[in-house]
Amino acid sequence: MVTAERALKGRPEPVYSVPETHAVLGTPLRGPWPEGTQVLHLAMGCFWGAEKEMWQLPGVVTTAAGYQGGYTENPTYDEVCSALTGHTETVLVAYDPERLPTAELLRHFWTLHDPTQGFRQGNDVGTQYRSAIFTTTEDQAELARTTRELYAPELRRNGYGDITTEIRPVEDAGTFWYAEDYHQQYLHKVPNGYCPVHATGVACPLPS
């Protein structure tokens, strides 16, 4: 992982535009969203497939592809893929917790990828593909830790290693930088695009 001292410095302003509206849901990518909407940032490998899985969940208000967890300001996709920004490909999920409880959203997160692979998902290798949960509330942080502890023994029983997912509040992870226009809802715009999820097939228990 690149250090802050070695990371690309970035720039004070973005070098590309971001669409205002979700291409599938028709909702604002940046808000404002309905009162009570919560935001959770989830990284589980290539953000194209991950975002598609998230926008299909009932209770999701909007999703967006972006970069988070690193050092570079206003990074580009090529810079993130150079492993010199420290960011991981991340999906912003704005959701209604009355319709989609946070624990259920996290259950989907855990089971849609292999959280034991470190800096990779399947054939995608690099620090930008690492697994992460960046929380915006203490309740989210507690549920992230709780579901991790519930899922870890299930994975071990099925021959997987230790969970490598990082769990951090957004205050520590830093700004969510929206990705370029063509990355937003990519698999809606390019239905035959390649970006599989790497689910293990191992079920994740929910907190009682």
Side-chain angles (χ1 to χ4, degrees):
M1 178 67 104
V2 71
T3 62
E5 293 73 26
R6 292 182 53 240
L8 300 174
K9 300 307 178 189
R11 53 199 61 82
E13 299 294 334
V15 294
Y16 53 81
S17 61
V18 176
E20 296 293 324
T21 304
H22 196 284
V24 178
L25 302 177
T27 50
L29 280 196
R30 299 177 182 269
W33 300 305
E35 185 177 353
T37 299
Q38 290 192 16
V39 175
L40 187 59
H41 302 86
L42 301 172
M44 55 187 108
C46 172
F47 50 22
W48 294 343
E51 189 195 8
K52 181 178 179 180
E53 294 292 338
M54 293 295 106
W55 82 54
Q56 296 181 90
L57 297 178
V60 166
V61 176
T62 205
T63 60
Y67 316 115
Q68 197 169 20
Y71 308 105
T72 304
E73 290 188 277
N74 289 297
T76 66
Y77 179 67
D78 287 343
E79 289 172 343
V80 171
C81 289
S82 76
L84 293 176
T85 72
H87 296 297
T88 184
E89 294 189 15
T90 304
V91 177
L92 176 152
V93 184
Y95 64 103
D96 177 356
E98 295 296 320
R99 295 184 59 207
L100 178 61
T102 301
E104 179 65 14
L105 174 57
L106 287 166
R107 184 183 70 81
H108 283 281
F109 164 80
W110 290 118
T111 57
L112 282 170
H113 74 302
D114 181 350
T116 71
Q117 290 202 346
F119 295 151
R120 71 180 299 157
Q121 278 295 303
N123 292 328
D124 293 329
V125 179
T127 57
Q128 74 270 29
Y129 298 115
R130 70 188 187 274
S131 174
I133 303 171
F134 302 131
T135 61
T136 60
T137 71
E138 182 51 45
D139 180 62
Q140 289 175 352
E142 182 176 345
L143 284 168
R145 293 187 293 265
T146 299
T147 52
R148 177 185 60 190
E149 296 311 307
L150 288 171
Y151 198 35
E154 300 300 318
L155 288 168
R156 285 194 290 270
R157 269 195 287 272
N158 284 273
Y160 291 90
D162 294 335
I163 289 175
T164 59
T165 304
E166 63 182 88
I167 299 174
R168 292 197 276 163
V170 294
E171 292 83 1
D172 181 48
T175 301
F176 173 85
W177 304 104
Y178 284 79
E180 294 86 338
D181 187 348
Y182 72 94
H183 288 302
Q184 305 300 337
Q185 299 85 63
Y186 178 86
L187 290 182
H188 168 72
K189 300 169 183 175
V190 187
N192 296 321
Y194 173 80
C195 188
V197 294
H198 297 277
T200 62
V202 179
C204 177
L206 286 174
S208 55

